[in-house]
Amino acid sequence: MTTRTGPIFTKVALLGVGLIGASMAHAMRRGSLAAHIAGHAHSEATRKRADELGFCHSIHADPKEAVRDADLIVFCTPVGAFAEVAAAIAPALKQGAIVSDVGSVKMAAIRDIGPHVPTGVHFIPGHPIAGTEHSGPDAGFAELFDGRWCILTPPAGTDEGAVTNLAEFWRGLGSRVEIMDAKHHDIVLAITSHVPHLIAYNIVGTASDLEQVTQSEVIKFSAGGFRDFTRIAASDPTMWRDVFLNNREAVLEVLGRFSEDLSRLQRAIRWGEGEMLFDLFTKTRAIRRSIVDAGQDTAASNFGRDTKKR
Ligand code: NAP
């Protein structure tokens, strides 16, 4: 994969240096995309660890100090922290700077960051469709975004030059870039990511509550299906709590459809409608094949994942 190298921004501020913030810093360094990378996190422990790992040039306890003179500011905190951090940095933003984020929900980012962005500063929400179930500064790695999509959702009337620069930046991090309406993004992600995570959290929760099967049996005999769900259900609780609280409408809409379809499957099993089950499973197998063909996953066993890192 060829990625652009050479500086796009002089100073980039990362508000949050966990999996996504740290990965952005590593990928920026790989491509020399910024002369200075400033980081901020709210706990002393995370700031200390980020400092030790050395992926930022400077680490700040005060987010205002991190964003001072920055050309690009990226919110990499959980979505629930956006409003508070946006209010804190607003007075220190430089005219002409770009403010963006990596939050998994875009309407909430617009609602919580948008009102704090001063005139003369460009606000372009974003969402890299890349991640792992790990979190914190140690989880970051430079290749996280390689070949993955990054969706930008610029509100109507956003400066085109600013959008071009941000898109170029994400290409430099290894991503492919797509522009989308924020509301549409939230419904697309509800079906491709948010509801699947909810299903994983639910099935793992159900298995651990079953009276006829002991916890140790669940762990000992965990077959492919359940084991794969547990990987997703190990995702960061704060991040995912915030996703569901902030994409409520779209998630509830998709869940409604999901419940109807599940009832249909329940009926098919009860009445022995094998043909219906076979047809559905054949259709879903083709979807899996299209994802592999599109380069969004590998057909290798264990999905080709390095289980230690991803
Ligand atoms: P993470 O590893 O838990 O990192 C979160 C970072 O935000 C930490 O540095 C944390 O600092 C900081 N933070 C939390 N609350 C804060 C606050 N109130 N003020 C300042 N800093 C705060 O999370 P992540 O996986 O990188 O996720 C970050 C964002 O990326 C989320 O909005 C998420 O929706 C989005 N995203 C995640 C994935 C994924 O798969 N993980 C994929 C795409 C997008 P402390 O450690 O000090 O709390």
Side-chain angles (χ1 to χ4, degrees):
M1 151 124 233
T2 47
T3 55
R4 170 193 161 138
T5 52
I8 297 174
F9 297 106
T10 305
K11 178 177 173 184
V12 175
L14 300 170
L15 304 171
V17 286
L19 167 70
I20 302 291
S23 296
M24 289 180 74
H26 286 299
M28 268 189 264
R29 281 176 174 269
R30 179 186 67 178
S32 309
L33 303 182
H36 187 99
I37 305 168
H40 158 74
H42 81 331
S43 76
E44 163 99 50
T46 298
R47 291 197 297 271
K48 185 166 173 284
R49 186 62 190 140
D51 210 18
E52 283 163 7
L53 292 167
F55 50 72
C56 286
H57 298 96
S58 61
I59 296 282
H60 306 263
D62 182 350
K64 271 210 306 295
E65 290 311 313
V67 308
R68 208 172 290 291
D69 294 321
D71 310 286
L72 172 66
I73 299 94
V74 188
F75 283 70
C76 304
T77 68
V79 176
F82 283 0
E84 180 197 330
V85 178
I89 62 160
L93 292 171
K94 180 172 93 169
Q95 281 292 295
I98 298 174
V99 169
S100 188
D101 75 295
V102 293
S104 308
V105 184
K106 298 288 33 105
M107 290 302 279
I110 292 172
R111 179 196 67 202
D112 292 348
I113 300 174
H116 299 285
V117 178
T119 313
V121 173
H122 311 291
F123 175 41
I124 309 170
H127 179 203
I129 313 298
T132 73
E133 68 277 24
H134 301 296
S135 47
D138 285 279
F141 56 102
E143 300 79 21
L144 177 65
F145 309 110
D146 287 352
R148 303 279 162 228
W149 288 100
C150 178
I151 301 177
L152 301 181
T153 64
T158 305
D159 182 84
E160 275 182 28
V163 177
T164 304
N165 281 346
L166 187 60
E168 186 71 357
F169 172 75
W170 274 103
R171 284 190 199 100
L173 296 179
S175 285
R176 298 191 266 174
V177 177
E178 179 109 347
I179 308 287
M180 203 183 274
D181 168 72
K183 199 163 181 195
H184 186 65
H185 165 279
D186 286 358
I187 191 94
V188 171
L189 268 291
I191 183 67
T192 57
S193 167
H194 305 169
V195 169
H197 272 80
L198 199 68
I199 293 166
Y201 282 124
N202 192 51
I203 187 83
V204 176
T206 303
S208 69
D209 281 348
L210 275 183
E211 279 129 27
Q212 309 94 308
V213 181
T214 65
Q215 282 243 14
S216 62
E217 281 175 314
V218 167
I219 293 163
K220 186 169 164 189
F221 301 117
S222 115
F226 184 73
R227 211 179 39 213
D228 292 343
F229 276 123
T230 59
R231 189 185 64 76
I232 298 175
S235 301
D236 189 69
T238 308
M239 169 189 157
W240 283 97
R241 176 202 62 199
D242 287 1
V243 167
F244 293 115
L245 295 181
N246 288 284
N247 198 19
R248 187 167 27 196
E249 230 176 275
V251 166
L252 291 178
E253 190 180 324
V254 173
L255 262 185
R257 281 292 301 270
F258 174 80
S259 306
E260 282 172 27
D261 292 344
L262 192 61
S263 300
R264 260 192 18 234
L265 281 179
Q266 207 174 357
R267 220 176 34 238
I269 294 169
R270 189 180 306 286
W271 297 109
E273 294 168 8
E275 205 177 320
M276 186 262 181
L277 296 175
F278 186 85
D279 288 350
L280 175 69
F281 302 164
T282 305
K283 197 167 104 187
T284 55
R285 183 178 241 194
I287 292 173
R288 168 73 193 159
R289 211 171 301 122
S290 335
I291 291 171
V292 173
D293 289 349
Q296 293 302 301
D297 209 341
T298 148
S301 64
N302 205 23
F303 305 110
R305 287 185 181 98
D306 168 359
T307 46
K308 272 192 234 88
K309 190 146 208 194
R310 304 177 188 206

Short mmCIF file of all heavy atoms in Angstrom, two decimals, residues 71-98:
data_model
loop_
_atom_site.label_atom_id
_atom_site.label_comp_id
_atom_site.label_asym_id
_atom_site.label_seq_id
_atom_site.Cartn_x
_atom_site.Cartn_y
_atom_site.Cartn_z
N ASP A 71 -2.51 23.25 13.90
CA ASP A 71 -3.22 23.42 12.62
C ASP A 71 -4.34 22.40 12.52
O ASP A 71 -5.31 22.59 11.80
CB ASP A 71 -2.26 23.18 11.45
CG ASP A 71 -0.99 23.98 11.64
OD1 ASP A 71 -1.05 25.19 11.45
OD2 ASP A 71 0.04 23.37 12.02
N LEU A 72 -4.15 21.26 13.19
CA LEU A 72 -5.18 20.21 13.21
C LEU A 72 -5.34 19.73 14.64
O LEU A 72 -4.35 19.42 15.32
CB LEU A 72 -4.77 19.03 12.31
CG LEU A 72 -5.68 17.80 12.39
CD1 LEU A 72 -7.08 18.10 11.84
CD2 LEU A 72 -5.07 16.62 11.63
N ILE A 73 -6.60 19.69 15.08
CA ILE A 73 -6.92 19.21 16.44
C ILE A 73 -7.87 18.04 16.27
O ILE A 73 -8.92 18.19 15.62
CB ILE A 73 -7.61 20.33 17.27
CG1 ILE A 73 -6.67 21.54 17.40
CG2 ILE A 73 -8.09 19.84 18.61
CD1 ILE A 73 -6.87 22.60 16.37
N VAL A 74 -7.53 16.88 16.84
CA VAL A 74 -8.39 15.71 16.67
C VAL A 74 -8.85 15.20 18.04
O VAL A 74 -8.02 14.84 18.89
CB VAL A 74 -7.67 14.57 15.90
CG1 VAL A 74 -8.67 13.46 15.57
CG2 VAL A 74 -7.03 15.08 14.63
N PHE A 75 -10.16 15.17 18.24
CA PHE A 75 -10.73 14.60 19.47
C PHE A 75 -10.63 13.08 19.39
O PHE A 75 -11.26 12.47 18.52
CB PHE A 75 -12.21 14.99 19.61
CG PHE A 75 -12.43 16.41 20.06
CD1 PHE A 75 -12.14 17.48 19.24
CD2 PHE A 75 -12.96 16.66 21.33
CE1 PHE A 75 -12.35 18.79 19.66
CE2 PHE A 75 -13.17 17.97 21.76
CZ PHE A 75 -12.87 19.03 20.93
N CYS A 76 -9.85 12.48 20.30
CA CYS A 76 -9.70 11.02 20.33
C CYS A 76 -10.13 10.48 21.69
O CYS A 76 -9.61 9.46 22.15
CB CYS A 76 -8.26 10.61 20.05
SG CYS A 76 -7.60 11.24 18.50
N THR A 77 -11.03 11.16 22.36
CA THR A 77 -11.57 10.70 23.65
C THR A 77 -12.86 9.94 23.38
O THR A 77 -13.40 10.00 22.27
CB THR A 77 -11.91 11.90 24.56
OG1 THR A 77 -13.02 12.58 23.98
CG2 THR A 77 -10.75 12.86 24.71
N PRO A 78 -13.41 9.27 24.39
CA PRO A 78 -14.76 8.71 24.21
C PRO A 78 -15.74 9.84 23.87
O PRO A 78 -15.54 10.99 24.29
CB PRO A 78 -15.07 8.10 25.59
CG PRO A 78 -13.72 7.83 26.20
CD PRO A 78 -12.83 8.93 25.71
N VAL A 79 -16.81 9.52 23.14
CA VAL A 79 -17.75 10.53 22.66
C VAL A 79 -18.34 11.34 23.83
O VAL A 79 -18.55 12.56 23.71
CB VAL A 79 -18.88 9.86 21.84
CG1 VAL A 79 -19.94 10.86 21.42
CG2 VAL A 79 -18.29 9.16 20.61
N GLY A 80 -18.57 10.69 24.96
CA GLY A 80 -19.17 11.36 26.12
C GLY A 80 -18.33 12.51 26.67
O GLY A 80 -18.85 13.33 27.43
N ALA A 81 -17.05 12.58 26.31
CA ALA A 81 -16.18 13.66 26.83
C ALA A 81 -16.08 14.84 25.86
O ALA A 81 -15.45 15.86 26.18
CB ALA A 81 -14.79 13.09 27.13
N PHE A 82 -16.66 14.72 24.67
CA PHE A 82 -16.46 15.74 23.63
C PHE A 82 -16.87 17.14 24.08
O PHE A 82 -16.13 18.11 23.89
CB PHE A 82 -17.24 15.38 22.35
CG PHE A 82 -16.60 14.30 21.50
CD1 PHE A 82 -15.41 13.70 21.87
CD2 PHE A 82 -17.20 13.89 20.31
CE1 PHE A 82 -14.82 12.71 21.09
CE2 PHE A 82 -16.62 12.91 19.51
CZ PHE A 82 -15.43 12.31 19.91
N ALA A 83 -18.08 17.29 24.67
CA ALA A 83 -18.60 18.62 25.00
C ALA A 83 -17.68 19.33 26.00
O ALA A 83 -17.32 20.50 25.81
CB ALA A 83 -20.01 18.51 25.56
N GLU A 84 -17.27 18.59 27.03
CA GLU A 84 -16.44 19.18 28.08
C GLU A 84 -15.07 19.62 27.51
O GLU A 84 -14.60 20.73 27.77
CB GLU A 84 -16.26 18.11 29.17
CG GLU A 84 -15.44 18.50 30.35
CD GLU A 84 -14.99 17.25 31.14
OE1 GLU A 84 -15.72 16.23 31.14
OE2 GLU A 84 -13.88 17.32 31.72
N VAL A 85 -14.47 18.76 26.71
CA VAL A 85 -13.14 19.07 26.16
C VAL A 85 -13.26 20.22 25.13
O VAL A 85 -12.41 21.12 25.10
CB VAL A 85 -12.47 17.82 25.54
CG1 VAL A 85 -11.13 18.15 24.93
CG2 VAL A 85 -12.32 16.72 26.59
N ALA A 86 -14.34 20.23 24.35
CA ALA A 86 -14.53 21.29 23.34
C ALA A 86 -14.65 22.65 24.02
O ALA A 86 -14.05 23.64 23.57
CB ALA A 86 -15.76 20.99 22.49
N ALA A 87 -15.39 22.70 25.12
CA ALA A 87 -15.56 23.98 25.84
C ALA A 87 -14.21 24.44 26.38
O ALA A 87 -13.90 25.64 26.35
CB ALA A 87 -16.56 23.80 26.98
N ALA A 88 -13.39 23.49 26.83
CA ALA A 88 -12.09 23.84 27.42
C ALA A 88 -11.11 24.39 26.39
O ALA A 88 -10.36 25.32 26.68
CB ALA A 88 -11.50 22.62 28.12
N ILE A 89 -11.12 23.87 25.17
CA ILE A 89 -10.09 24.28 24.19
C ILE A 89 -10.50 25.48 23.34
O ILE A 89 -9.65 26.15 22.76
CB ILE A 89 -9.70 23.13 23.22
CG1 ILE A 89 -10.92 22.66 22.38
CG2 ILE A 89 -9.06 21.97 23.98
CD1 ILE A 89 -10.55 21.91 21.12
N ALA A 90 -11.81 25.76 23.28
CA ALA A 90 -12.32 26.78 22.34
C ALA A 90 -11.52 28.09 22.36
O ALA A 90 -11.13 28.59 21.29
CB ALA A 90 -13.80 27.04 22.59
N PRO A 91 -11.20 28.66 23.54
CA PRO A 91 -10.52 29.95 23.54
C PRO A 91 -9.09 29.89 22.97
O PRO A 91 -8.53 30.93 22.61
CB PRO A 91 -10.46 30.34 25.03
CG PRO A 91 -11.35 29.38 25.74
CD PRO A 91 -11.47 28.17 24.89
N ALA A 92 -8.50 28.70 22.88
CA ALA A 92 -7.09 28.60 22.44
C ALA A 92 -6.95 28.21 20.97
O ALA A 92 -5.83 28.06 20.48
CB ALA A 92 -6.36 27.58 23.33
N LEU A 93 -8.07 28.04 20.26
CA LEU A 93 -7.97 27.57 18.86
C LEU A 93 -7.45 28.68 17.95
O LEU A 93 -7.87 29.84 18.05
CB LEU A 93 -9.34 27.07 18.37
CG LEU A 93 -9.84 25.78 19.04
CD1 LEU A 93 -11.29 25.50 18.66
CD2 LEU A 93 -8.94 24.59 18.69
N LYS A 94 -6.56 28.28 17.03
CA LYS A 94 -5.96 29.23 16.08
C LYS A 94 -6.90 29.44 14.88
O LYS A 94 -7.50 28.47 14.41
CB LYS A 94 -4.63 28.62 15.62
CG LYS A 94 -3.86 29.43 14.64
CD LYS A 94 -2.48 28.83 14.42
CE LYS A 94 -2.46 27.88 13.23
NZ LYS A 94 -1.10 27.48 12.83
N GLN A 95 -7.00 30.67 14.39
CA GLN A 95 -7.80 30.94 13.19
C GLN A 95 -7.27 30.10 12.03
O GLN A 95 -6.06 29.97 11.85
CB GLN A 95 -7.68 32.43 12.82
CG GLN A 95 -8.56 33.33 13.67
CD GLN A 95 -10.04 33.11 13.37
OE1 GLN A 95 -10.50 33.37 12.29
NE2 GLN A 95 -10.78 32.60 14.35
N GLY A 96 -8.18 29.51 11.26
CA GLY A 96 -7.77 28.71 10.10
C GLY A 96 -7.49 27.26 10.43
O GLY A 96 -7.27 26.44 9.52
N ALA A 97 -7.48 26.94 11.74
CA ALA A 97 -7.19 25.54 12.13
C ALA A 97 -8.36 24.63 11.75
O ALA A 97 -9.47 25.12 11.51
CB ALA A 97 -6.95 25.47 13.64
N ILE A 98 -8.09 23.33 11.69
CA ILE A 98 -9.15 22.33 11.45
C ILE A 98 -9.38 21.57 12.76
O ILE A 98 -8.42 21.09 13.38
CB ILE A 98 -8.74 21.33 10.35
CG1 ILE A 98 -8.53 22.05 9.01
CG2 ILE A 98 -9.79 20.22 10.21
CD1 ILE A 98 -7.99 21.15 7.90
#
